[in-house]
Amino acid sequence: MRETRRGLAFWALASFFGLFVLFLYGPTITIMILSFQGEDGGLTFPMNGFSLHWFGRLFQQQAVGDFGGSLSRSLLLGLIVTILTVTISLSAGLAFRRRFFGSTPLFYLAIASLIVPSILVSLGIGLMFNVLGIEPAWNTSALGAHLTWTLPFGLLIMFAVFNRFNKAFEEAARDQGASPWQTLRHVTVPILLPSLIGVGLFGFTLSYDEFARSLMTTGSYNTLPLEIYGMTTSVTTPVLYALGTVTTLLSIVVITAALYGVVYVQRRRAGKGSDAGRGV
Amino acid sequence: MSTAVIAVPKRRRFRLGAIAPYLQAMPLGLVLAVFLVIPILTIVIVSFWDYDSVQIYPDFLFTNYIDLLTSQVTWKTYLNTIKYAVLVWLFTLVIGFTVAYFVAFHVKSATAQMALFLICTIPFLTSNIIRMISWIPFLGRNGILNQALQGIGVTDQPLEFLLFSDFSVILTFVYLYAQFMVVPIFNSMMRIDRNLIEAARDGGASGFQTLVNVIIPLTKSGILIGTIFVVTLVMGDFITVRLMSGGQSASVGLMIANEISLLQYPAAAANAVVLLIIVLLMVAAMLRVVDIRKEL
């Protein structure tokens, strides 16, 4: 491509981008700073000293509700959603590589699942359980509600992934006498692994943060977003900000671990990969 | 012809290959049937039921719809929600397009593009609700913005409209959903054949002409996908409106959430059906412009 001079347009757009980043980070950084507010400090600036007081308060059960319980439920639910999203999306992605009867309606159903307002899904599942006389719970109704949100995303990612996927690898495996299952297990899945980790990550973050779809489906034991929401209406101390800081750090840890997983897979693949065509 | 069929009956060998796509698609189909289709049917059915302050009763009444559609409050709330959707769409579109355009066309190295993209995505790891309330110390009466404005002498009074107003609601929406516009637009821009832009330039088109006649038409699908996301998210939202308007404004989602909390499920269901119809009509209108299935 021709080298373009960095003219006025470039700098104008670059400053716009800079402002956008500032817009995205400004508030989050603000609350991270405010979470170190001193013991007498309030929800806003100025900082009244500097302390870890509010982080300590966070872990005292009686002070802010069931933070530990809701966190562990959210993490566990996120994990289950991740596993199911990866498996079901991969399986559906494989199906959609061929035209099958009902593929178009199923595709539109998945899209519908994305555009139906979350509160409707929540209300619908809550009512369905109510009518059937079943208690909603985080690991049944809420799990289903979260999947209606994560699966369409997973499916769309799988479409994008299979568009770029070279079928020659699978054909080669088949020519070598591999069964469909062997082909899937030893060829398709390993090649797709980084994308599958991506799908899982997506599923986890969507579930971990889902509020509206959890509202009527979680039952008596809260997940974390519901707990946080409860706190925004009842807690008026910087302990909220401490909670924000801690949960952000937690999700950063999870994401980093997953990204590290991708890098590890790729490195291992590079190390153990075939030397075909390298002329060794 | 018919004798041939009788004479040589085709041996129907059972082949797993033929039913494999059905088995593979079944889990997705089942989840969507149980947790999307049946619940929505439940909402439709319950919207005709009767209720009192204690319980809901199976029935077939139009009262819930009549009450809903004859109330002034409903119409005002729907209009207000649509106002939010249109304004947020406008702002996220301008921001999303500009940001995506910068990263796609002005940043040359793929690594730098990736890095800038990650930078925009990281804030999304924080809980939405926490990100919402983090605007409060910024916009509040003694917030950073007010103090800064007074500090540099723009105003001598704190500006009250900054927080708990339509302003703060729309600002928060834009903040939460801008990325839903950036990602699909960026995606379509990256798929534009760079030779087309080169050709436009060689043909004597100015930068602006290239933008209007080449880039925008080719980015249409991304804009559409982003639009669908932003519009449907805003139409159904209740928590942003509740937290950021401080109870000053209403939205359809909030109305439904309030009915739910008062256990007026049939009323909430009727409201939900109306909301669903409106959202589906909006999306259907948008899909007439671009066929997304072709673009995937």
Side-chain angles (χ1 to χ4, degrees):
Chain A
M1 207 170 161
R2 188 164 61 192
E3 194 52 48
T4 38
R5 219 159 38 83
R6 292 195 162 173
L8 196 62
F10 174 84
W11 293 112
L13 287 165
S15 351
F16 188 89
F17 184 83
L19 284 175
F20 180 65
V21 170
L22 201 66
F23 175 60
L24 287 181
Y25 281 82
T28 317
I29 292 174
T30 309
I31 60 156
M32 284 203 171
I33 297 170
L34 282 173
S35 63
F36 294 100
Q37 183 71 278
E39 282 186 37
D40 306 318
L43 278 168
T44 50
F45 284 106
M47 292 287 281
N48 213 329
F50 177 92
S51 74
L52 292 173
H53 174 77
W54 301 106
F55 290 95
R57 281 286 299 281
L58 193 58
F59 293 98
Q60 291 163 6
Q61 186 91 351
Q62 69 282 8
V64 290
D66 187 13
F67 171 65
S70 62
L71 174 68
S72 54
R73 272 189 292 278
S74 266
L75 287 175
L76 193 57
L77 178 59
L79 191 69
I80 301 171
V81 169
T82 304
I83 293 167
L84 287 177
T85 305
V86 171
T87 340
I88 298 176
S89 309
L90 172 66
S91 165
L94 290 167
F96 273 101
R97 290 205 288 177
R98 283 190 267 172
R99 285 245 157 232
F100 60 94
F101 180 73
S103 61
T104 309
L106 185 62
F107 172 76
Y108 281 110
L109 191 62
I111 297 298
S113 192
L114 274 187
I115 61 172
V116 167
S118 299
I119 180 128
L120 252 116
V121 176
S122 206
L123 174 66
I125 296 176
L127 280 179
M128 178 175 83
F129 273 63
N130 190 326
V131 170
L132 296 173
I134 311 170
E135 272 300 305
W138 64 272
N139 51 10
T140 55
S141 42
L143 174 63
H146 285 201
L147 286 176
T148 63
W149 186 223
T150 58
L151 287 180
F153 278 110
L155 184 67
L156 290 179
I157 298 174
M158 289 320 294
F159 276 157
V161 168
F162 276 125
N163 271 345
R164 283 182 278 132
F165 183 75
N166 186 352
K167 282 186 178 173
F169 291 114
E170 289 173 318
E171 274 155 30
R174 215 170 299 138
D175 291 347
Q176 300 284 319
S179 69
W181 178 248
Q182 284 173 322
T183 310
L184 181 69
R185 188 177 168 326
H186 296 292
V187 179
T188 318
V189 168
I191 292 175
L192 295 183
L193 200 55
S195 311
L196 293 176
I197 294 177
V199 169
L201 212 55
F202 221 83
F204 182 83
T205 34
L206 288 175
S207 161
Y208 181 68
D209 193 27
E210 184 51 43
F211 174 77
R213 281 174 202 245
S214 316
L215 184 66
M216 281 196 70
T217 55
T218 308
S220 5
Y221 296 100
N222 273 351
T223 56
L224 190 62
L226 294 170
E227 196 68 30
I228 293 175
Y229 177 69
M231 287 174 64
T232 60
T233 52
S234 61
V235 179
T236 47
T237 57
V239 73
L240 258 180
Y241 299 150
L243 179 65
T245 306
V246 168
T247 50
T248 305
L249 289 179
L250 252 172
S251 36
I252 289 176
V253 167
V254 172
I255 306 292
T256 315
L259 287 179
Y260 181 78
V262 174
V263 173
Y264 175 76
V265 166
Q266 277 168 344
R267 235 184 239 152
R268 210 179 63 151
R269 192 175 291 168
K272 284 190 183 173
S274 154
D275 55 4
R278 283 190 198 152
V280 185
Chain B
M1 286 296 267
S2 57
T3 49
V5 174
I6 299 161
V8 194
K10 233 183 192 166
R11 268 191 61 198
R12 284 198 166 262
R13 213 155 51 84
F14 178 75
R15 291 198 313 126
L16 187 69
I19 59 156
Y22 296 96
L23 289 178
Q24 289 164 339
M26 199 174 59
L28 176 70
L30 275 179
V31 170
L32 292 179
V34 174
F35 291 104
L36 185 74
V37 178
I38 299 177
I40 287 181
L41 292 176
T42 314
I43 292 182
V44 175
I45 294 167
V46 171
S47 71
F48 294 104
W49 285 14
D50 198 4
Y51 67 99
D52 58 27
S53 51
V54 191
Q55 232 191 317
I56 54 178
Y57 307 99
D59 205 339
F60 189 75
L61 300 168
F62 287 98
T63 332
N64 300 315
Y65 286 99
I66 294 168
D67 287 350
L68 182 74
L69 297 175
T70 51
S71 156
Q72 279 282 309
V73 178
T74 310
W75 293 93
K76 267 171 79 180
T77 309
Y78 271 88
L79 276 181
N80 198 42
T81 312
I82 291 171
K83 178 186 85 184
Y84 284 150
V86 171
L87 286 173
V88 173
W89 172 71
L90 216 66
F91 289 126
T92 51
L93 178 62
V94 171
I95 293 173
F97 190 90
T98 316
V99 167
Y101 180 80
F102 171 71
V103 180
F105 292 110
H106 283 269
V107 178
K108 301 293 183 218
S109 94
T111 323
Q113 282 179 334
M114 187 70 180
L116 291 182
F117 217 77
L118 274 180
I119 287 175
C120 295
T121 314
I122 289 169
F124 286 81
L125 305 182
T126 307
S127 147
N128 258 346
I129 298 174
I130 299 274
R131 294 180 70 218
M132 262 176 232
I133 58 164
S134 57
W135 277 102
I136 294 172
F138 189 78
L139 297 174
R141 219 170 171 282
N142 299 313
I144 301 171
L145 189 56
N146 263 324
Q147 281 176 359
L149 287 176
Q150 288 171 71
I152 57 171
V154 177
T155 54
D156 46 6
Q157 295 258 323
L159 298 174
E160 300 282 352
F161 75 89
L162 291 178
L163 188 60
F164 301 140
S165 59
D166 278 355
F167 173 81
S168 54
V169 172
I170 291 167
L171 180 81
T172 311
F173 272 137
V174 172
Y175 170 68
L176 293 177
Y177 301 145
Q179 195 68 355
F180 282 86
M181 210 45 121
V182 175
V183 174
I185 295 180
F186 178 73
N187 221 354
S188 336
M189 280 178 176
M190 290 308 283
R191 286 193 304 184
I192 296 176
D193 186 345
R194 295 302 189 267
N195 289 329
L196 291 174
I197 292 158
E198 199 84 333
R201 204 179 290 148
D202 291 348
S206 68
F208 183 72
Q209 284 172 322
T210 312
L211 180 70
V212 173
N213 297 314
V214 180
I215 296 172
I216 292 181
L218 290 172
T219 315
K220 234 167 54 181
S221 63
I223 294 176
L224 181 89
I225 294 173
T227 302
I228 292 178
F229 269 122
V230 169
V231 168
T232 52
L233 283 166
V234 175
M235 287 302 290
D237 176 90
F238 64 99
I239 175 133
T240 314
V241 178
R242 179 180 282 168
L243 283 179
M244 297 312 292
S245 82
Q248 309 286 313
S249 303
S251 75
V252 182
L254 187 53
M255 205 157 111
I256 297 176
N258 287 338
E259 284 160 344
I260 291 174
S261 62
L262 295 170
L263 303 179
Q264 300 170 341
Y265 294 134
N271 213 339
V273 171
V274 175
L275 173 65
L276 183 62
I277 291 171
I278 289 178
V279 168
L280 289 180
L281 285 177
M282 285 172 124
V283 173
M286 291 176 216
L287 287 177
R288 290 195 74 108
V289 187
V290 186
D291 177 3
I292 32 165
R293 178 113 203 221
K294 262 190 215 146
E295 308 282 345
L296 284 172

